[in-house]
């Protein structure tokens, strides 16, 4: 009986050897440097704006509350703002800072902030605000105010 098992064990030796070589080969191939871990840092975002008045008088200031909602979190993402007013006249500023210049890019300090638009005309006014991140994602917000004068 022992002789039969010895023959069986010796006969299985090439299969065991092939299995060991195959396992070693798979282990070496799967550990190459080509399969580096990819870290995602480019996350799309949405911009939420609280309701604002539809009418504004000459010289009146309107508060615009804005929140940037990220779909992921990468700490080194920087957000920027630029705007352009194509109807009427007015100025846009961030808190108590000097008014922004149209089409200039300004860094945002936080993801929740307030903008203040001050009307300087007696006609309807329209402006667009673009918020972008450091990866090229961009959202556009349009504002229209009717004159209450």
């Amino acid at each position: 009986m022992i002789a039969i098992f010895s023959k069986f064990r010796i006969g299985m030796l090439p299969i065991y050897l092939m299995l060991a070589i195959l396992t070693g080969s798979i282990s070496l191939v799967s550990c190459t440097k080509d399969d580096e871990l990819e870290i995602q840092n480019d996350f799309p975002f949405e911009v939420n704006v609280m309701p604002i008045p539809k009418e504004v008088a000459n010289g009146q200031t309107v508060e615009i509350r804005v929140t940037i909602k990220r779909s992921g979190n990468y700490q080194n993402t920087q957000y920027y703002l630029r705007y352009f007013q194509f109807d009427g006249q007015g100025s846009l500023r961030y808190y108590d800072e000097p008014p922004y210049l149209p089409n200039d890019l300004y860094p945002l300090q936080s993801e929740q902030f307030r903008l203040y638009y001050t009307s300087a005309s007696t006609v309807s006014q329209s402006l667009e605000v673009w918020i972008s991140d450091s990866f090229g994602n961009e959202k556009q917000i349009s504002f229209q105010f009717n004159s209450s004068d």
Side-chain angles (χ1 to χ4, degrees):
M1 186 78 142
I2 295 175
I4 295 174
F5 286 124
S6 294
K7 279 187 178 182
F8 182 71
R9 192 172 37 175
I10 292 172
M12 295 292 287
L13 186 61
I15 294 175
Y16 291 143
L17 187 59
M18 289 299 288
L19 188 59
I21 291 172
L22 183 64
T23 303
S25 298
I26 290 173
S27 297
L28 289 175
V29 170
S30 66
C31 294
T32 63
K33 282 192 159 193
D34 293 340
D35 295 334
E36 292 184 20
L37 180 63
E38 291 185 24
I39 299 173
Q40 181 179 356
N41 54 13
D42 180 6
F43 292 103
F45 64 93
E46 293 296 320
V47 177
N48 295 336
V49 179
M50 294 294 292
I52 57 172
K54 293 181 181 186
E55 293 185 345
V56 63
N58 187 10
Q60 180 183 0
T61 299
V62 174
E63 180 183 73
I64 304 169
R65 294 182 184 191
V66 181
T67 303
I68 298 171
K69 296 282 188 183
R70 299 197 248 188
S71 64
N73 190 6
Y74 181 69
Q75 283 190 315
N76 294 332
T77 303
Q78 178 64 46
Y79 292 96
Y80 302 93
L81 180 140
R82 66 185 170 94
Y83 91 101
F84 181 74
Q85 183 162 3
F86 51 91
D87 283 333
Q89 289 189 354
S91 63
L92 186 70
R93 62 185 167 82
Y94 181 83
Y95 290 106
D96 58 352
E97 293 182 8
Y100 289 150
L101 297 174
N103 287 329
D104 282 359
L105 198 61
Y106 296 93
L108 293 171
Q109 314 309 331
S110 66
E111 295 174 25
Q112 189 170 9
F113 57 94
R114 295 176 187 188
L115 298 171
Y116 295 92
Y117 175 76
T118 303
S119 172
S121 65
T122 58
V123 296
S124 297
Q125 299 152 61
S126 299
L127 63 125
E128 291 183 346
V129 174
W130 286 272
I131 296 177
S132 59
D133 65 11
S134 48
F135 300 102
N137 298 316
E138 190 170 61
K139 296 292 180 186
Q140 176 184 350
I141 312 161
S142 297
F143 299 100
Q144 291 186 316
F145 300 103
N146 294 322
S147 176
S148 64
D149 289 336

